[in-house]
Amino acid sequence: MAGLQCHKLLWWMAHEPAAPELEIDESRQAVFDQGHRVGALARTYVPGGVLIDLPYNAYEQRLEATRQALAQGAPAVYEAAFRADWVFVSVDILERLGLERLGPETLRGFCLIEVKSTTSVKEQHLPDVAVQTQVLRRSGLDVGRMEVMHLNRACAYPDLSNLFTRADVTELVEARLAAVPGEIAAMTAMLAGPLPSVATGPHCSTPYECPFTERCWPVLPAHHVSTLYAMRRRALELDELGYRTIFDLPEDFPLGAAADRQRRAVQAGHLIVEPTLAAALARFAPPVAFLDFETVGLAIPVWDGCHPYDAVPVQFSAQVPDGGGALQPHAWLAEGPGDPRPALAERLLAVCEGARAIVAYNARFEGDRIRELAAALPHLAARLEALAGRLVDLLPVVRNHVYHPDFGGSFSLKRVLPALVPELDYRGLAIAEGETASLELGRLLFHGGAMEPEERARLRADLLAYCHQDTWGLVRLLERLRGLAGGA
Ligand code: SF4
């Protein structure tokens, strides 16, 4: 969610907990589940503690269980609960400091540890830690050190001994503490009053997308300046200068090449094709193959050499020339939780063997994945490196030579295809975008064994259809671009 610093968001969460915007959809649930898995694993890195494992709303029991655990000298308490000044907090890990940890000079009380699934400390982690510290100190606990325990990208499976990094944020949190009582008082008063008025702004989408944006944000006119390619950050400035939509921008307004083409296309109300398109398509002369990967990015790696959040290809779709002028579709999708990379790489090499060039959209992504496969599979490395060298990218061809008003300032395949190849529609597909595909792939690989055979078969079919649509879309997009180049 958006930064919890937004009082309006907090007010709605407190007063409308059943709001439809707060319903947990599958993708939010997947994020929560991942956070719970990371949290549970983090505890094993601060071993020997007592888990306060009680229902969320059993406040008094949680407080009492925490008191008992501390009184009995537990070396750590997980989900330790405290309340002071009417503020209730739960600490991911509360560690009793020992001589061996900090040395005699700094030996003090407890270390408060906030566990995060990120791979670094973020500014937005600190307010939470500050409030927890304040409440614990007001409860009489000697908190001498504060940490954010986050995932470590340098960790490589199977050695998970360094999966977490414990970052000392004591100084950063101490610097904020003086302001915390005032912030808590202001928040308490705010929650007791009417819905506060908060202006919309970057905080609505950074660091997280707020679920209430539709309630708060005014409906923007079509082609608002915020849709200008790569100029979203300057939208407010342009709006204030009186340029509300792209129609308002004068011809000589300084813009990057793609944004200027966007302005011309929007103002003219039709597709613009640069005369340079034909030359840009020379690298795509047939016969060429087409390739698309789908990946999973696991917070806790499970395959050899993988780091937290590595994007590991577990599915591909390809369209490959058959030698007779036609394209042959190919697909590969992993089965079960085992390492998919050796079988995927073998199949990919076999399928793409004879292809002179391989077209991808944003080919850097496919290229990076193939090079990572090469690093993980030394016996196939040379062939995989050669394959990566044959990739050609269609995205810059579109971005640098074509603009349709319906792109809406984006060159993603999901925006470009409906505008240029309108007969190809993702709307009929059960899976229609990449984030859902990645979540569903994770579900299929790691929980497919517990599914009914029909459900599993249906999920596989949906994933295959989605990935096929991406490569078939590339085929049709290249055809369309060739047609446009011919008529440009
Ligand atoms: S959309 Fe923005 S202003 Fe509205 S509640 Fe969310 S963060 Fe606050």
Side-chain angles (χ1 to χ4, degrees):
M1 272 181 210
L4 288 181
Q5 295 92 329
C6 177
H7 282 189
K8 202 170 181 182
L9 169 60
L10 282 174
W11 194 95
W12 270 325
M13 289 172 75
H15 291 267
E16 288 188 42
E21 290 92 339
L22 294 175
E23 271 173 25
I24 310 240
D25 60 13
E26 275 186 9
S27 74
R28 216 183 285 173
Q29 187 61 53
V31 172
F32 288 158
D33 290 347
Q34 180 174 273
H36 289 144
R37 281 195 295 276
V38 169
L41 191 58
R43 289 178 208 137
T44 66
Y45 288 72
V46 187
V50 173
L51 174 63
I52 308 303
D53 190 12
L54 288 161
Y56 174 75
N57 55 0
Y59 301 111
E60 300 306 325
Q61 293 96 314
R62 289 168 68 189
L63 291 167
E64 180 53 30
T66 302
R67 266 193 294 272
Q68 281 184 19
L70 290 174
Q72 287 162 8
V77 184
Y78 316 126
E79 304 299 333
F82 296 88
R83 183 170 55 205
D85 305 321
W86 303 101
V87 181
F88 184 95
V89 297
S90 170
V91 180
D92 291 331
I93 301 174
L94 184 63
E95 183 186 32
R96 198 182 288 272
L97 291 175
L99 192 62
E100 70 288 347
R101 175 149 174 72
L102 287 176
E105 287 87 32
T106 47
L107 177 61
R108 277 185 61 194
F110 290 88
C111 177
L112 183 159
I113 305 172
E114 173 84 349
V115 178
K116 291 292 177 193
S117 303
T118 52
T119 54
S120 62
V121 178
K122 310 270 185 201
E123 174 65 25
Q124 66 266 24
H125 298 157
L126 302 178
D128 259 8
V129 182
V131 170
Q132 289 175 32
T133 304
Q134 168 76 11
V135 170
L136 266 62
R137 286 184 177 167
R138 293 278 296 140
S139 305
L141 216 73
D142 184 10
V143 180
R145 181 177 165 96
M146 294 73 104
E147 294 183 358
V148 171
M149 187 174 180
H150 59 78
L151 291 165
N152 174 20
R153 279 279 293 154
C155 168
Y157 187 89
D159 178 8
L160 298 185
S161 59
N162 61 342
L163 180 63
F164 290 98
T165 297
R166 291 179 61 166
D168 182 357
V169 293
T170 309
E171 264 185 46
L172 294 169
V173 172
E174 294 283 6
R176 306 179 75 107
L177 277 178
V180 169
E183 286 167 6
I184 290 176
M187 205 173 288
T188 310
M190 177 276 293
L191 288 174
L195 177 67
S197 168
V198 178
T200 53
H203 66 279
C204 302
S205 54
T206 310
Y208 312 110
E209 193 71 33
C210 175
F212 289 102
T213 42
E214 279 194 19
R215 286 200 203 187
C216 287
W217 280 78
V219 178
L220 296 174
H223 301 297
H224 183 259
V225 283
S226 61
T227 66
L228 264 176
Y229 174 68
M231 291 197 51
R232 197 184 155 110
R233 286 186 182 181
R234 287 191 57 200
L236 203 59
E237 185 191 323
L238 293 175
D239 204 320
E240 280 167 7
L241 285 171
Y243 304 126
R244 187 147 174 73
T245 72
I246 293 172
F247 296 105
D248 303 326
L249 291 169
E251 260 180 44
D252 58 353
F253 191 87
L255 294 168
D260 188 63
R261 193 173 305 110
Q262 178 181 5
R263 179 191 60 74
R264 286 185 280 133
V266 168
Q267 292 183 353
H270 60 66
L271 175 72
I272 284 189
V273 180
E274 302 291 354
T276 47
L277 176 62
L281 288 173
R283 297 179 71 200
F284 299 82
V288 287
F290 299 80
L291 176 66
D292 182 58
F293 279 150
E294 300 301 333
T295 60
V296 293
L298 305 173
I300 303 164
V302 296
W303 299 312
D304 278 350
C306 288
H307 311 94
Y309 298 114
D310 273 357
V312 181
V314 296
Q315 177 181 12
F316 77 81
S317 156
Q319 302 277 343
V320 183
D322 64 2
L327 286 167
Q328 190 66 39
H330 297 271
W332 192 91
L333 173 53
E335 287 273 0
D339 189 346
R341 294 170 297 172
L344 180 143
E346 296 273 10
R347 182 81 183 122
L348 181 67
L349 287 167
V351 161
C352 296
E353 197 80 75
R356 180 185 59 78
I358 301 156
V359 181
Y361 201 80
N362 190 20
R364 187 173 166 186
F365 181 78
E366 271 69 21
D368 285 350
R369 301 297 78 78
I370 293 172
R371 288 187 194 92
E372 285 158 9
L373 286 172
L377 305 165
H379 65 293
L380 300 175
R383 291 170 66 202
L384 286 164
E385 291 285 356
L387 181 71
R390 290 183 352 247
L391 285 169
V392 283
D393 195 348
L394 203 51
L395 186 149
V397 175
V398 177
R399 188 177 54 215
N400 298 335
H401 305 276
V402 179
Y403 194 88
H404 189 290
D406 290 350
F407 287 180
S410 164
F411 294 97
S412 76
L413 205 53
K414 303 297 182 290
R415 291 306 291 261
V416 166
L417 273 180
L420 295 186
V421 193
E423 62 276 20
L424 251 190
D425 199 344
Y426 282 80
R427 277 175 297 182
L429 296 177
I431 295 170
E433 47 83 34
E435 193 185 338
T436 309
S438 184
L439 287 173
E440 291 295 55
L441 280 164
R443 201 161 69 88
L444 177 74
L445 265 53
F446 298 102
H447 306 287
M451 288 178 192
E452 293 295 330
E454 299 77 29
E455 184 194 357
R456 196 156 169 274
R458 191 173 56 244
L459 185 51
R460 281 187 70 84
D462 290 344
L463 285 161
L464 288 166
Y466 169 71
C467 198
H468 170 81
Q469 182 88 338
D470 273 356
T471 46
W472 184 237
L474 274 185
V475 173
R476 299 297 311 279
L477 177 61
L478 183 54
E479 280 173 11
R480 173 81 168 129
L481 291 172
R482 286 195 186 115
L484 293 172

